[in-house]
Amino acid sequence: MPKRPTLADIARAAGVSTATVDRVINKRRPVKKTTEEAVLNASRRLNFGAAPSPTNRMAESLPERRLGFILQKALKPFYIRLSEAIRAAAESQRDVSCRAEILFVEELAPEPIVEKMKDLSRRVDSLAIVAVDHPLVSDEIWRLKQRGVPVWALLSDLSSPDKAGYIGIDGRKAGRTAAWAFDKHCSPGGTIGTLIGSQRYVGHEDRDTGLRAFFREKQRNFNVLEATSYLDSDDGAYKGTMELVARSPGLAGLHVIGGGCEGAIRALADKELIGKVALVCHELNSETRRGLIDGSTIMVLATPVERVAAAAVRLLAASEHGEEHAERFGPVLPFEILISENI
């Protein structure tokens, strides 16, 4: 009868110590992924008992994290792409077993966001939310912190001092970059219109502030109109653009802060202003990509969706019971600057 292999035999075959083999086989202490796989592969080659597969063994040994995400508007391509990227990032985690649960809110009002926060927080260890900055949201963040559920601001920052941190781009820099594009593309003295998704989105407010700060600092002779809210929708952007064009026949540039840029492109086409009004958007999709090609859009300042998702999953997975984390304030990620020549 063949001799049953020993731990020392497996150690020699895997190129590790007997103590390491003991840790893996008997689940005494975690080891590096590559070391664990080497030991398990060697144990199978030597027919050492019923060694579990590396995948199953790793899944058994990894700590579990339940991650919650509250996003906006389930049917918007941007949020569909973000939700898919979040799920992919959760599945790809190697040091922790992640389960991501994603809920969507169709309104910008704070009340439905807070209701989703209360619901989801009962089932997750940490939470990331795309939300308007409102006292009701801040109060719920405080309540969840007391319960040990850290809440991260996602895409748009929140003023709550109790949030775990912010994950997204620097809105002020994005706004200044949009202003730079208008400055290079439009004749001095032109009128720049702005459509803002919501005045209570800190990220939108930052972009608007950055644009205006650029023109003040550089002392450019542009007429920047007061921002018009359009509730971050295609139809809202269409109506807002039509109203801006009617009020300002000599409109030189249009800054659409948020989603729904398709509506602005449609309105400019209806008014036969494609190529006459410089359009800058903040969301890359099939319509804005075509806009860069046909000249209806001069620049898209896009959020790096996959990088945001990866950072969010990593930080939420590391957030445990409200403890301070080394990256508490989260990464401010660089946005993508897209023009017709680099898409």
Side-chain angles (χ1 to χ4, degrees):
M1 181 176 180
K3 179 184 175 184
R4 185 174 188 271
T6 65
L7 296 187
D9 295 328
I10 297 172
R12 281 192 295 272
V16 298
S17 68
T18 304
T20 297
V21 174
D22 178 62
R23 291 191 193 114
V24 174
I25 298 298
N26 296 307
K27 306 180 184 179
R28 299 191 192 282
R29 289 178 60 188
V31 299
K32 292 181 180 179
K33 173 182 175 293
T34 53
T35 301
E36 181 180 53
E37 290 183 347
V39 170
L40 293 172
N41 288 332
S43 68
R44 280 195 302 277
R45 289 198 305 272
L46 297 174
N47 295 317
F48 182 84
S53 68
T55 300
N56 292 338
R57 172 67 178 83
M58 288 166 59
E60 290 173 3
S61 64
L62 292 177
E64 295 184 354
R65 295 288 185 271
R66 299 166 300 166
L67 315 181
F69 296 85
I70 298 176
L71 308 181
Q72 296 285 329
K73 302 183 180 181
L75 297 181
K76 283 193 67 174
F78 175 85
Y79 286 110
I80 292 173
R81 180 183 167 196
L82 179 58
S83 65
E84 292 173 348
I86 287 170
R87 291 191 176 95
E91 292 174 1
S92 69
Q93 295 301 297
R94 296 184 178 277
D95 299 325
V96 62
S97 177
C98 290
R99 179 177 64 82
E101 184 173 352
I102 302 172
L103 300 181
F104 295 88
V105 179
E106 299 303 320
E107 304 173 47
L108 297 184
E111 291 84 359
I113 295 172
V114 170
E115 288 304 311
K116 295 287 187 182
M117 292 171 68
K118 290 178 178 178
D119 174 33
L120 192 52
S121 65
R122 300 186 184 101
R123 304 189 295 276
V124 300
D125 303 308
S126 51
L127 189 60
I129 62 174
V130 181
V132 293
D133 194 38
H134 191 278
L136 287 175
V137 176
S138 296
D139 183 57
E140 188 60 24
I141 291 173
W142 177 82
R143 292 177 186 278
L144 293 182
K145 183 179 181 181
Q146 307 313 302
R147 285 176 41 201
V149 181
V151 179
W152 293 79
L154 184 63
L155 299 181
S156 182
D157 205 354
L158 296 166
S159 62
S160 167
D162 298 303
K163 68 178 184 290
Y166 164 62
I167 306 164
I169 68 170
D170 187 324
R172 186 171 176 275
K173 284 185 178 180
R176 291 183 66 91
T177 304
W180 177 89
F182 289 129
D183 186 45
K184 299 300 181 184
H185 194 276
C186 303
S187 300
T191 297
I192 307 296
T194 296
L195 297 181
I196 188 168
S198 172
Q199 299 285 357
R200 280 197 175 271
Y201 270 145
V202 172
H204 290 190
E205 185 181 57
D206 285 347
R207 294 172 193 179
D208 187 48
T209 298
L211 178 134
R212 296 172 190 279
F214 175 93
F215 286 126
R216 285 196 301 270
E217 178 190 343
K218 304 297 182 180
Q219 297 184 355
R220 302 297 199 238
N221 187 29
F222 282 94
N223 176 30
V224 183
L225 301 177
E226 188 66 29
T228 299
S229 179
Y230 70 101
L231 299 179
D232 209 26
S233 69
D234 294 355
D235 289 342
Y238 179 87
K239 294 174 183 177
T241 301
M242 295 293 275
E243 291 172 4
L244 278 173
V245 170
R247 292 202 313 265
S248 305
L251 193 67
L254 177 59
H255 187 205
V256 179
I257 302 174
C261 198
E262 303 94 318
I265 294 174
R266 195 168 72 250
L268 292 178
D270 287 351
K271 287 294 185 178
E272 298 183 347
L273 292 174
I274 295 295
K276 298 177 183 177
V277 175
L279 178 63
V280 175
C281 301
H282 291 264
E283 189 174 298
L284 181 66
N285 53 43
S286 59
E287 291 295 322
T288 55
R289 180 181 290 273
R290 280 197 295 270
L292 290 172
I293 295 171
D294 66 23
S296 60
T297 306
I298 64 169
M299 180 179 286
V300 175
L301 303 168
T303 296
V305 172
E306 284 72 23
R307 292 185 64 179
V308 166
V313 167
R314 174 171 51 82
L315 289 169
L316 264 68
S319 300
E320 242 184 310
H321 309 300
E323 296 177 1
E324 292 294 326
H325 186 266
E327 296 180 89
R328 180 185 184 280
F329 294 101
V332 177
L333 300 165
F335 47 87
E336 299 170 346
I337 302 174
L338 300 167
I339 60 175
S340 61
E341 303 307 314
N342 71 342
I343 57 173

